[in-house]
Amino acid sequence: WLMYHVDGKDSVAELIDVPRPDVGAPSPMIVCDEAHLLLAYLVNEQHCAWESDSVLNLSGETGEHIAIVTLHHPTAHMFGLPNDETLSGHPLYSRGLRWYSVWEVQASSWIHQFERVNAVHEQHSPQRFLANKRHFIFTFHDSTFECIAHGFTYKVVRASFSDAIMKMAETLHQGWMSP
């Protein structure tokens, strides 16, 4: 597991309008290829920032409320450690990163680390490389998901988890969640 090292500039901001992960078993899952990344997780219905009438019902009347997040133009992602019991070991914990939430990292050292790697390219332009790159963190019960992308959109669906995952796989290249 390769973790970036933060400098004095990194800060985190909670994205309170995004559905918060369930605190018990959010069961996060990603479906991705080189150009697209979708993340799904069970939401904490007690902290609903989304409107119930905007929920897309994929499975009829039954199912869970699942957030499906489409990360636009992903550059890199990490999925795994730390879990909620070891989140205090994350390099951004001292900057405010906490459990069961969605965050954006401002002045991300991880993004700047990739910019330095890309600098070996003969036509490298720091401004062009850094344009639109954003660092997001989703903290779950048993894992953490981080991604560098241009941004993301999400939908909350009511479905069985298997139906949501099937829909994600079917539509990975179709852009049904594009803005």
Side-chain angles (χ1 to χ4, degrees), residues 1 3-4 6 10-16 18-21 39 41 69 71 76-82 87 90-93 95-106 108-110 134-140 143-149 152:
W1 183 55
M3 177 57 73
Y4 49 89
V6 300
D10 294 74
S11 64
V12 295
E14 185 175 6
L15 302 177
I16 59 173
V18 181
R20 295 178 77 175
L39 166 70
Y41 58 90
V69 180
L71 290 124
H77 67 274
M78 294 187 282
F79 187 32
L81 293 173
L87 190 64
H90 191 287
L92 293 171
Y93 183 82
R95 313 284 170 95
L97 185 68
R98 293 297 181 265
W99 308 267
Y100 323 119
S101 298
V102 180
W103 303 85
E104 182 167 1
V105 181
Q106 306 295 323
S108 169
S109 293
W110 193 29
R134 298 168 66 189
H135 179 177
F136 302 104
I137 303 176
F138 294 72
T139 54
F140 300 111
S143 61
T144 298
F145 173 78
E146 298 193 43
C147 187
I148 297 172
F152 67 84

Side-chain angles (χ1 to χ4, degrees), residues 125-162:
S125 162
Q127 296 78 16
R128 191 173 70 219
F129 182 86
L130 295 171
N132 301 317
K133 291 205 176 18
R134 298 168 66 189
H135 179 177
F136 302 104
I137 303 176
F138 294 72
T139 54
F140 300 111
H141 180 70
D142 292 320
S143 61
T144 298
F145 173 78
E146 298 193 43
C147 187
I148 297 172
H150 285 199
F152 67 84
T153 54
Y154 70 87
K155 290 186 183 221
V156 176
V157 300
R158 186 167 180 85
S160 68
F161 210 75
S162 61

Side-chain angles (χ1 to χ4, degrees), residues 20 25 37 39 66 72 75 87 115-116 119 131 137 151 168 173:
R20 295 178 77 175
L37 193 147
L39 166 70
I66 300 168
H72 305 292
T75 299
L87 190 64
E115 187 274 326
R116 287 189 299 275
I137 303 176
M168 290 167 61
H173 297 288

